[in-house]
Amino acid sequence: MAQPRRQGQPVGRRERKKAATRQALADAALRLFLRQGFDQVGVKEVAEAAGVSVTTLFKYFSSKEALVFDREDAREAAMVAAVRERGADQSVVDALHEIMRGHVSALPSSPALRRFHALVEGTPALAEYSHRMWMRHEQALVHAISSETGADRDDVAVRALVRCALESRRLARLDEDPLAALDRIFGFLRSGWGAPEFVGQSPRPGALGPPRPARRPDRTDPPGRPAAQEVP
């Protein structure tokens, strides 16, 4: 049975070769996609450019779209670490906010990054795949938060928090001021929808309270039909 590699121990020759093949495929794919367009390039062309067979390509990547997103595992590990290794005075929500600020502020700044983002956003298949891959980080974050807080992994509140946090990146990027939009989203996650700053004014008494109870049915209500609601 193979022993796990110790931290800092050099990677073996076989592992280095596999990593190099994977990187060559990802580099060749991105180069071709940027030059010719995603839909105009086939996997056979990518494999040939990397000097491998199509069979080998699919040993490393499950689909053509996956060739563009080859760093999702590292991204997920970084997000989980940010939750687990947060400061003693930092809440889980604050940690998630910091993570998302890093992703939102990392908008295309160089020509290469701008071309990459234009490729993804301009190709429906890639945009959808990118979003699906991003939302797959939900399970890992739920597990990390549950372990840190003692909450149940099936707790809907934990899942709702993580899902909202992950969705915040896409929502914020649609705004003219992405970082300000992100801060507003996380302000909502901390305070709740009923906070005055989210409704624009102080809520009137009873506006956020329970709804009025339905009127009891009387003889005029047909059998099986719900009772009519009171009209204020």
Side-chain angles (χ1 to χ4, degrees), residues 63-78:
S63 67
K64 180 180 171 182
E65 291 82 3
L67 285 159
V68 181
F69 304 98
D70 61 318
R71 300 176 182 175
E72 289 303 308
D73 289 346
R75 178 178 288 183
E76 182 174 287

Side-chain angles (χ1 to χ4, degrees), residues 24-211:
L25 282 164
D27 290 345
L30 185 58
R31 184 170 61 251
L32 289 168
F33 294 157
L34 288 173
R35 183 192 306 159
Q36 300 171 218
F38 179 79
D39 294 327
Q40 284 67 49
V41 178
V43 291
K44 182 178 180 180
E45 191 174 351
V46 174
E48 289 176 351
V52 301
S53 67
V54 173
T55 301
T56 298
L57 182 151
F58 282 116
K59 286 181 179 178
Y60 290 90
F61 296 95
S62 60
S63 67
K64 180 180 171 182
E65 291 82 3
L67 285 159
V68 181
F69 304 98
D70 61 318
R71 300 176 182 175
E72 289 303 308
D73 289 346
R75 178 178 288 183
E76 182 174 287
M79 289 195 290
V80 168
V83 170
R84 292 188 182 278
E85 299 169 11
R86 69 190 190 283
D89 59 343
Q90 187 180 39
S91 70
V92 167
V93 175
D94 289 339
L96 291 173
H97 189 182
E98 185 176 317
I99 294 168
M100 295 307 145
R101 280 188 67 89
H103 285 285
V104 170
S105 62
L107 291 173
S109 55
S110 69
L113 277 175
R114 284 196 291 271
R115 290 177 65 200
F116 174 78
H117 279 268
L119 171 69
V120 173
E121 296 303 321
T123 309
L126 288 178
E128 176 60 27
Y129 184 86
S130 174
H131 185 61
R132 288 204 315 271
M133 290 297 293
W134 177 252
M135 296 307 294
R136 282 178 59 184
H137 299 319
E138 176 184 331
Q139 190 61 34
L141 284 172
V142 166
H143 178 73
I145 292 172
S146 298
S147 299
E148 288 291 301
T149 63
D152 193 292
R153 293 183 194 177
D154 295 325
D155 188 336
V156 69
V158 176
R159 292 191 174 278
L161 171 62
V162 171
R163 188 163 299 185
C164 288
L166 289 171
E167 285 283 7
S168 69
R169 183 187 70 159
R170 183 162 69 167
L171 290 171
R173 285 179 172 178
L174 296 174
D175 197 85
E176 293 181 357
D177 188 340
L179 285 175
L182 187 76
D183 292 344
R184 183 169 171 79
I185 290 169
F186 273 89
F188 159 69
L189 290 178
R190 290 186 185 89
S191 305
W193 186 252
E197 60 267 31
F198 296 111
V199 296
Q201 57 185 357
S202 298
R204 58 185 175 81
L208 301 174

